[in-house]
Amino acid sequence: MTEVLREPVEKTYADDLKALKADDHHPKPAGWVLSPQAVVTYIVGGKVGKRQIDAKYVGDRRLIETAVATLATDRALLLMGVPGTAKSWVSEHMAAAISGDSTKIIQCTAGTDENQIRYGWNYAQLLAKGPSRDALVPTPLFRAMESGSLCRLEELTRMGSDVQDTLITVLSEKMLPIPELNDAVYAQRGFNVIATANDRDKGVNELSAALKRRFNVVVLPLPDDLDQEIQIVTRRVGEMARSLDLPAPKNVVEEVTRVLAIFRELRGGETADGKTTLKSPSATLSTAEAIAVMVSGFSHAAYFNDGILTAEGLAPNVLGAIVKDPVQDKAVLEEYLETVLKKRRDFADYYTTLTELV
């Protein structure tokens, strides 16, 4: 066990990366640690010699191939999708496999300004000696250009359009002007950008047409198949539980299946058999939210329920995931409980507990 709560994935999965590198005989683009083929194997899983590389992303392999192929060109990559579709998770693993470093990251928000994208200044040195390279404070983007590695931009559309457009010169000319020094930084081979964007948040800033042309967009969907989503949630919950030193209850798959059945019906707007139309809540009820519900359930089971995972322990977390709007979402859940869950014997404990909580 490490004292660090969460290490970068290049450390957590160092053995996978080492095995792939040792067995990688394909040509590598300049500045890449692994070949594109090995990067895809690292992310979607596969056999390398006698070692089985576990999948980091469970989904359409072609989407990952397209994303990796994009990064091998001079076009930047934009991963789009609803919240909880593993955009950040995929971008982190891609950066780790391609550059060996996933930590050059800029979290975009409404308060992000140009200095956080381009560079800042050490004002003590600036006042003492004037503008100089020593007084300049490089951003992750600046450092990625200098080192020929990947920079990650999380939630690109959360920052203002005028700040977004500071990327245009970087992405088109592969250089970052420093007018104060009459100088510029020129990107080394291997440099590129992976951005993520949420296509369902309200109040986001649209990318300008000029910036859109600099990105190749890959949309990561929610899992189509229940079994696939169960596999994703079970695996990620197990990994997170181990990192938190939480024991895994024996009935994990059973409870994951029941929570996902509720989530999928509510977000899809109909029951699994297609016979009943449902109202959907404002929450996305994504795979990531299901993972969060289950991890909280693990913690409750470990500390308050003798390690037993039950509907009574999970239901408050399910309620919190569904009811974001206390009026609208509460009405949606109440209708679902009475018209659907009440009739299912195998969900009786969820019906009883959620009814009491609502």
Side-chain angles (χ1 to χ4, degrees):
M1 293 292 292
T2 174
E3 294 301 317
V4 177
L5 188 60
R6 184 185 185 277
E7 291 188 312
V9 295
E10 56 268 25
K11 291 188 177 181
T12 305
Y13 297 95
D15 289 344
D16 282 356
L17 292 167
K18 183 178 179 181
L20 283 162
K21 188 174 182 180
D23 196 63
D24 192 2
H25 306 298
H26 298 287
K28 304 178 184 69
W32 284 40
V33 175
L34 298 176
S35 67
Q37 294 93 330
V39 173
V40 171
T41 301
Y42 169 72
I43 294 172
V44 302
K47 196 82 170 177
V48 178
K50 295 181 179 180
R51 183 183 181 86
Q52 178 64 39
I53 305 296
D54 289 335
K56 317 302 182 295
Y57 172 77
V58 179
D60 191 339
R61 181 188 179 94
R62 290 172 298 178
L63 292 177
I64 302 302
E65 289 178 351
T66 300
V68 172
T70 296
L71 292 171
T73 70
D74 63 350
R75 281 175 68 82
L77 172 66
L78 177 60
L79 298 175
M80 292 277 290
V82 300
T85 48
K87 301 181 296 296
S88 298
W89 180 248
V90 170
S91 77
E92 183 180 8
H93 279 287
M94 282 187 176
I98 292 171
S99 299
D101 180 8
S102 65
T103 62
K104 295 185 179 73
I105 178 172
I106 298 172
Q107 181 62 57
C108 304
T109 68
T112 303
D113 61 24
E114 288 190 24
N115 292 339
Q116 292 167 280
I117 302 296
R118 299 168 71 241
Y119 52 84
W121 295 98
N122 180 324
Y123 287 103
Q125 290 203 32
L126 188 65
L127 291 171
K129 301 178 181 180
S132 67
R133 274 291 186 129
D134 290 338
L136 189 146
V137 179
T139 63
L141 180 70
F142 191 113
R143 289 186 282 111
M145 294 180 73
E146 283 190 316
S147 61
S149 55
L150 291 179
C151 179
R152 299 165 54 211
L153 293 165
E154 288 295 312
E155 301 294 353
L156 179 62
T157 52
R158 302 304 296 173
M159 66 181 179
S161 299
D162 54 335
V163 182
Q164 292 173 10
D165 284 345
T166 61
L167 294 169
I168 291 175
T169 301
V170 172
L171 297 181
S172 59
E173 306 297 330
K174 307 304 178 189
M175 56 90 73
L176 177 62
I178 310 175
E180 298 90 341
L181 303 179
N182 193 27
D183 197 0
V185 176
Y186 293 89
Q188 301 298 302
R189 284 186 170 273
F191 167 73
N192 214 328
V193 168
I194 308 177
T196 65
N198 177 349
D199 63 5
R200 281 196 51 180
D201 265 355
K202 298 176 181 177
V204 298
N205 303 287
E206 277 291 327
L207 300 181
S208 66
L211 188 54
K212 281 180 181 177
R213 289 197 303 272
R214 272 71 182 183
F215 282 101
N216 188 34
V217 178
V218 172
V219 179
L220 298 183
L222 287 167
D224 291 328
D225 181 73
L226 175 59
D227 291 337
Q228 185 184 72
E229 193 164 11
I230 291 169
Q231 180 186 352
I232 294 168
V233 174
T234 303
R235 177 177 295 170
R236 285 292 294 129
V237 167
E239 291 172 352
M240 294 176 73
R242 284 192 295 275
S243 72
L244 296 169
D245 201 22
L246 293 173
K250 294 180 180 179
N251 60 330
V252 173
V253 175
E254 177 187 340
E255 295 307 325
V256 166
T257 302
R258 296 204 292 172
V259 168
L260 284 176
I262 295 171
F263 276 26
R264 289 175 68 89
E265 288 186 327
L266 283 170
R267 80 183 182 218
E270 64 177 13
T271 52
D273 58 13
K275 295 180 179 180
T276 305
T277 301
L278 305 168
K279 293 177 183 176
S280 293
S282 59
T284 57
L285 299 181
S286 65
T287 307
E289 287 176 293
I291 292 168
V293 165
M294 295 307 301
V295 171
S296 295
F298 273 35
S299 180
H300 182 274
Y303 296 117
F304 302 108
N305 203 35
D306 297 325
I308 302 170
L309 192 62
T310 63
E312 288 73 18
L314 287 165
N317 301 304
V318 171
L319 178 67
I322 296 171
V323 180
K324 304 299 185 186
D325 183 312
V327 177
Q328 178 185 333
D329 293 343
K330 182 180 177 183
V332 169
L333 178 58
E334 287 175 338
E335 182 177 328
Y336 176 73
L337 290 172
E338 295 304 319
T339 60
V340 179
L341 230 55
K342 187 177 183 178
K343 302 174 184 176
R344 295 177 177 170
R345 290 184 180 180
D346 51 341
F347 283 82
D349 47 358
Y350 277 94
Y351 169 77
T352 301
T353 310
L354 285 169
T355 301
E356 291 173 356
L357 292 171
V358 173

